[in-house]
Amino acid sequence: MQQLTVSAPGKLMLMGEHAVVYGYPCLVTAVDSRFKLTLTEIDAPNLLLHAPDLGIIDYHKPINQIGKGDIPPKAQCIELSFKNFVQKYGINTGIKVETQSQFSQSYGFGSSSASIVCTMKALSQISQKKLTNQELFDLCYRTVIDKQGVGSGFDVAAAIWGGTLYFVTGGKAIEPLNINNLPLVIGYTGVKSDTTQIVKEIAKKKELYPAKIELIFKAISGLVEQGKRALLEKDWPLLGKLMNFNQNYLEDLGVSTEKLNSMVSSAKAAGALGAKLSGAGGGDCMIALHNGKNKQAIEKAIIQAGGEIVDIKAHAQGARIENL
Ligand code: PMV
């Protein structure tokens, strides 16, 4: 009986959120808070799922029923990944899945997409299907859409490739950027945000004010293109300025909050080269770019504004097999 453990990193959006849902590019970095999952072959033709960290204990389903009937929301990522893998490649064994995530679900680092990537990578390994990153991405992205109906897939790409990526909607472009560090401070608002809900609200706004919203997306997309060059040239002051402009557009879209604004402006007042919310908005995290010397002052300012510092590294390694 084979057993293997796979891990995948979380993500933070650097620039381009929301616009990336509509065909524009974004910049995303993987963060070293990893989702871990162990897959074991079993004799019975069942999927067994034991994921106390996801709130699922001893869930099981016959393989021929996978993806059918009621699926508890917390089992959906793994069961739907399983369904999509089995539909494409078949499987000739029962599987037990156990998770051990280091993720705090509240930060918004993308535990759903990391769990989908881990499941798919582990299944492909155990079935000896050699999938390219792009093939893995396509299966995982389909699973994200099956589960939540919306999303650009940037989080799936970050979990698979790791590092820092230039990414276009649905994986139309996925370019790893050759940098070796990213001097970020990450501040958590203490408020959990509902990404799917906020993405739907922006869709409504786009229907009501198509020209205005399209103008904002186009402007954000221009910032992302410049941001990509700034990253590659390690021009942190320029990247900081672009992040600030991006934050202004996110405020125009109406997705920032008073708490996010206050953490962002405190970080800037303490010397951050740039600061912005990261992700859908409404809560979760903000990021600030530091110059190597003023990290502590920025952290202190964010705490004074009521934020919590999340001390994890950006530009983390992508999905990997932990043992064989
Ligand atoms: O809230 P997060 O960190 O999952 O980021 C969402 C980013 C969006 O662009 C708003 C949605 C997406 O799928 O790209």
Side-chain angles (χ1 to χ4, degrees):
M1 291 283 128
Q2 278 194 80
Q3 180 178 76
L4 80 145
T5 299
V6 173
S7 77
K11 52 77 188 144
L12 272 174
M13 182 70 94
L14 289 179
M15 292 177 70
E17 46 273 88
H18 290 294
V20 67
V21 177
Y22 296 91
Y24 296 104
C26 74
L27 298 169
V28 53
T29 191
V31 293
D32 216 8
S33 168
R34 304 187 77 83
F35 192 92
K36 260 195 198 170
L37 174 149
T38 299
L39 211 106
T40 311
E41 284 182 325
I42 54 171
D43 285 331
N46 288 328
L47 166 67
L48 301 186
L49 174 56
H50 187 66
D53 45 351
L54 300 180
I56 288 281
I57 292 170
D58 292 335
Y59 173 76
H60 56 96
K61 210 157 186 187
I63 297 232
N64 59 12
Q65 292 302 308
I66 293 293
K68 298 183 187 148
D70 276 346
I71 309 175
K74 289 174 175 164
Q76 282 179 4
C77 286
I78 291 173
E79 183 167 338
L80 294 175
S81 303
F82 208 85
K83 180 199 84 171
N84 282 332
F85 183 86
V86 173
Q87 259 176 12
K88 184 144 180 134
Y89 297 108
I91 198 150
N92 50 16
T93 172
I95 294 283
K96 180 172 171 193
V97 178
E98 293 160 289
T99 67
Q100 317 101 37
S101 103
Q102 301 170 344
F103 266 75
S104 161
Q105 301 227 347
S106 41
Y107 295 143
F109 287 160
S111 54
S112 300
S113 40
S115 71
I116 290 172
V117 167
C118 283
T119 308
M120 220 59 104
K121 190 167 176 78
L123 282 171
S124 60
Q125 185 75 25
I126 227 162
S127 323
Q128 292 170 358
K129 300 274 179 259
K130 289 230 173 310
L131 302 191
T132 62
N133 277 356
Q134 189 68 45
E135 285 167 330
L136 191 60
F137 175 87
D138 292 342
L139 270 179
C140 293
Y141 183 51
R142 185 182 317 152
T143 309
V144 168
I145 296 301
D146 283 355
K147 180 176 173 276
Q148 62 199 36
V150 290
S152 64
F154 81 107
D155 40 6
V156 172
I160 295 174
W161 273 263
T164 301
L165 305 172
Y166 171 87
F167 174 89
V168 179
T169 329
K172 285 187 203 90
I174 304 176
E175 261 181 59
L177 301 178
N178 187 11
I179 58 169
N180 47 22
N181 76 324
L182 192 56
L184 283 186
V185 174
I186 303 160
Y188 176 54
T189 54
V191 181
K192 175 87 202 90
S193 103
D194 183 342
T195 298
T196 307
Q197 178 61 29
I198 300 174
V199 168
K200 286 183 179 157
E201 279 163 23
I202 294 295
K204 266 190 224 143
K205 270 193 194 168
K206 196 165 175 296
E207 258 178 56
L208 286 172
Y209 314 105
K212 180 155 173 49
I213 301 292
E214 203 57 51
L215 212 63
I216 294 179
F217 287 168
K218 283 218 167 75
I220 291 177
S221 147
L223 296 175
V224 169
E225 297 295 347
Q226 272 185 283
K228 175 186 172 189
R229 290 195 291 274
L231 262 173
L232 289 171
E233 285 160 18
K234 296 182 185 49
D235 187 343
W236 305 131
L238 174 60
L239 183 65
K241 281 194 192 114
L242 298 167
M243 286 166 64
N244 291 340
F245 279 123
N246 195 165
Q247 169 67 17
N248 295 341
Y249 285 120
L250 290 165
E251 288 175 28
D252 288 348
L253 280 178
V255 296
S256 198
T257 62
E258 261 180 50
K259 182 80 176 269
L260 280 164
N261 291 348
S262 139
M263 289 164 69
V264 163
S265 48
S266 303
K268 288 200 286 192
L273 298 170
K276 62 181 279 296
L277 69 82
S278 170
D284 284 351
C285 288
M286 51 74 70
I287 50 177
L289 196 65
H290 66 82
N291 65 12
K293 292 181 208 124
N294 55 11
K295 180 169 182 262
Q296 277 171 351
I298 296 167
E299 287 177 346
K300 208 167 139 207
I302 291 174
I303 292 168
Q304 269 165 3
E308 178 194 323
I309 299 304
V310 188
D311 195 12
I312 50 168
K313 279 212 174 68
H315 200 62
Q317 197 187 359
R320 63 179 184 233
I321 311 282
E322 296 284 338
N323 70 330
L324 263 181

